[in-house]
Amino acid sequence: MAKIYSKKNQLISNMKPKKEVISFLLNYSKSLHMIKVADNSFEIIAN
Amino acid sequence: MIADIQIPDALLVQDYVAGNEDALATLIKRHESKIYGFIYSKVSDRDVANDIFQDTFIKVIKTLKSNSYNEEGKFLPWVMRISHNLVIDFFRKNKKMPMYRETEEFSVFSIMTDDSLTIENQLIADQVELDIQKLIQELPEDQKEVLIMRMYKDMSFKEISEITGVSINTSLGRMRYALMNLRKVIDKHQIILTN
């Protein structure tokens, strides 16, 4: 049987990341505080 | 939702930097499919795409929170560039230890091979071994002795010379003649000793 060398079109248009990823990012954003002291910046992650 | 679409990215970024966490949720919701789709189109793996998507936004969040962002109005291209760089990093890392996953078009067995001999090849190899042993038996005694000690007992020429009581050079010479004689017999009788 002939081999098809062309790649199948993937349905990329409506793909979304996992809900867990989004919720992690939003929680991470809420807990993260950046403090700049002179040229240094410090990250504080509050649990 | 309609109101969200009308607020430009730059304003949402400003809002977020000012402390409005909901602005980030809106930004992510607005661009998630474009960014995720872009990453997936490069890596072709959902889990890897999720990881890179997450890393991308961790960078975005850190940059925005530290007030280092200054590309107003170009939020999406900026995020896309971050994700693009992370995709490149992923491929660089992966080059050292590539991961193969079975897909419809790609079978892992196309790169996994069994190097052991097939039964037929094993039979041929056994036969070849047997033929060589028979040929060795035809060699003169002194040459046979050196060849067996060297090839089958894995002894050094120094050890061979000590046991046989001749010099190393003589042992080497006997080995050389043994091999030459074997070749001669093999050529003469046109014996095929390959698998």
Side-chain angles (χ1 to χ4, degrees):
Chain A
M1 211 169 91
K3 188 168 165 45
I4 300 164
Y5 287 96
S6 58
K7 270 192 176 177
K8 240 190 280 173
N9 279 334
Q10 286 158 330
L11 286 172
I12 301 168
S13 54
N14 208 17
M15 288 179 70
K16 284 183 178 177
K18 277 187 193 167
K19 277 179 189 164
E20 291 89 335
V21 173
I22 304 293
S23 99
F24 166 81
L25 286 168
L26 295 177
N27 288 325
Y28 174 79
S29 166
K30 278 175 197 163
S31 63
L32 180 76
H33 292 274
M34 303 282 279
I35 298 168
K36 267 198 168 182
V37 179
D39 285 342
N40 304 312
S41 63
F42 297 93
E43 290 173 20
I44 298 170
I45 298 172
N47 276 317
Chain B
M1 189 69 200
I2 294 164
D4 289 345
I5 294 165
Q6 285 164 347
I7 303 169
D9 288 350
L11 264 178
L12 285 167
V13 170
Q14 260 180 31
D15 260 17
Y16 176 65
V17 172
N20 180 6
E21 293 288 336
D22 292 341
L24 179 73
T26 311
L27 280 168
I28 292 179
K29 208 170 177 61
R30 189 178 286 177
H31 300 300
E32 62 180 358
S33 93
K34 260 187 195 162
I35 297 162
Y36 184 82
F38 167 74
I39 299 166
Y40 183 80
S41 74
K42 302 286 178 207
V43 298
S44 304
D45 185 297
R46 280 176 188 269
D47 293 332
V48 174
N50 271 307
D51 283 354
I52 296 177
F53 182 89
Q54 183 172 304
D55 289 347
T56 302
F57 271 93
I58 286 176
K59 281 203 168 185
V60 168
I61 291 165
K62 278 186 183 173
T63 312
L64 293 180
K65 290 233 170 183
S66 62
N67 281 323
S68 320
Y69 176 74
N70 55 6
E71 292 187 4
E72 274 178 50
K74 294 178 203 160
F75 178 75
L76 184 62
W78 173 61
V79 181
M80 290 291 231
R81 208 161 56 238
I82 294 174
S83 63
H84 181 251
N85 289 339
L86 289 172
V87 167
I88 291 171
D89 286 350
F90 163 76
F91 281 115
R92 264 191 210 135
K93 249 188 269 167
N94 221 25
K95 221 179 182 180
K96 289 176 194 154
M97 195 193 267
M99 181 183 77
Y100 295 104
R101 208 170 268 195
E102 179 112 2
T103 64
E104 273 177 46
E105 298 134 27
F106 172 73
S107 158
V108 281
F109 292 108
S110 68
I111 53 158
M112 279 168 66
T113 50
D114 181 5
D115 290 335
S116 60
L117 293 172
T118 60
I119 293 187
E120 190 190 354
N121 287 341
Q122 187 60 53
L123 283 172
I124 295 169
D126 290 347
Q127 187 61 51
V128 167
E129 188 65 37
L130 212 69
D131 288 348
I132 291 173
Q133 279 173 12
K134 275 185 198 159
L135 288 173
I136 291 169
Q137 293 307 320
E138 301 299 318
L139 288 170
E141 201 56 40
D142 55 347
Q143 293 171 20
K144 184 166 77 179
E145 188 183 40
V146 174
L147 189 135
I148 289 171
M149 282 194 234
R150 180 78 195 109
M151 303 310 288
Y152 289 94
K153 295 182 182 165
D154 208 23
M155 289 160 76
S156 69
F157 281 105
K158 190 168 177 272
E159 290 168 325
I160 294 168
S161 69
E162 280 164 7
I163 288 170
T164 53
V166 294
S167 69
I168 292 180
N169 274 340
T170 310
S171 305
L172 284 165
R174 282 178 184 172
M175 182 73 190
R176 189 166 159 260
Y177 280 112
L179 294 176
M180 278 164 63
N181 282 332
L182 277 179
R183 279 204 194 99
K184 254 187 230 166
V185 178
I186 290 164
D187 284 347
K188 192 176 165 193
H189 299 285
Q190 293 187 325
I191 303 165
I192 298 164
L193 295 170
T194 49
N195 205 333

